[in-house]
Amino acid sequence: QVQLVESGGGSVQAGGSLTLSCAASESIVRVNSIGWFRQAAGKQRELVALILDALPTDEIDYDDSVKGRFTVSRDNVKNTVTLQMNSLKPEDTAVYYCYVNVRKGYEYWGQGTQVTISS
């Protein structure tokens, strides 16, 4: 079982930046996908950014609401995935979850980290 530990959440004003990090307990080199989801109060969990394993290079999928503001990246040596969030908006407020799909039928979630953006 893969353990995922998020860090970097917090509270900032609109227009600010935050960086979320997720450390995996095992190698992420050959996972199917890895990235971030979020869940705002009273809403369903939604995709934020996902890195899909592909050749010759990974494919990255962003939700339309974060395109141009958020950047996801992975470090296969440190087994981490990072979400750089810029130009934050109040509607970005949510609990952010790290996610990994190791192979079909095997997916894992972090415990979540709160991000709060004030106007």
Side-chain angles (χ1 to χ4, degrees), residues 25-84:
S25 60
E26 299 179 13
S27 173
I28 62 170
V29 172
R30 296 190 177 277
V31 300
N32 287 340
S33 60
I34 187 167
W36 296 88
F37 287 70
R38 67 186 179 188
Q39 186 167 17
K43 296 187 177 181
Q44 291 188 332
R45 193 172 297 189
E46 63 179 9
L47 170 71
V48 177
L50 195 65
I51 302 173
L52 299 134
D53 185 58
L55 293 173
T57 59
D58 289 341
E59 297 178 1
I60 299 179
D61 187 17
Y62 291 102
D63 183 76
D64 287 344
S65 66
V66 306
K67 283 181 180 177
R69 301 188 297 122
F70 290 12
T71 303
V72 65
S73 60
R74 64 192 284 179
D75 186 324
N76 290 339
V77 175
K78 296 180 179 179
N79 295 324
T80 58
V81 60
T82 299
L83 184 68
Q84 176 64 45

Side-chain angles (χ1 to χ4, degrees), residues 1-2 10 16 18 22 35-36 50-51 63 72-73 76 78 87 89 92-93 105 116 118:
Q1 183 169 348
V2 179
L18 282 172
C22 173
W36 296 88
L50 195 65
I51 302 173
D63 183 76
V72 65
S73 60
N76 290 339
K78 296 180 179 179
S87 302
K89 304 175 181 180
D92 294 319
T93 295
T116 303
S118 58

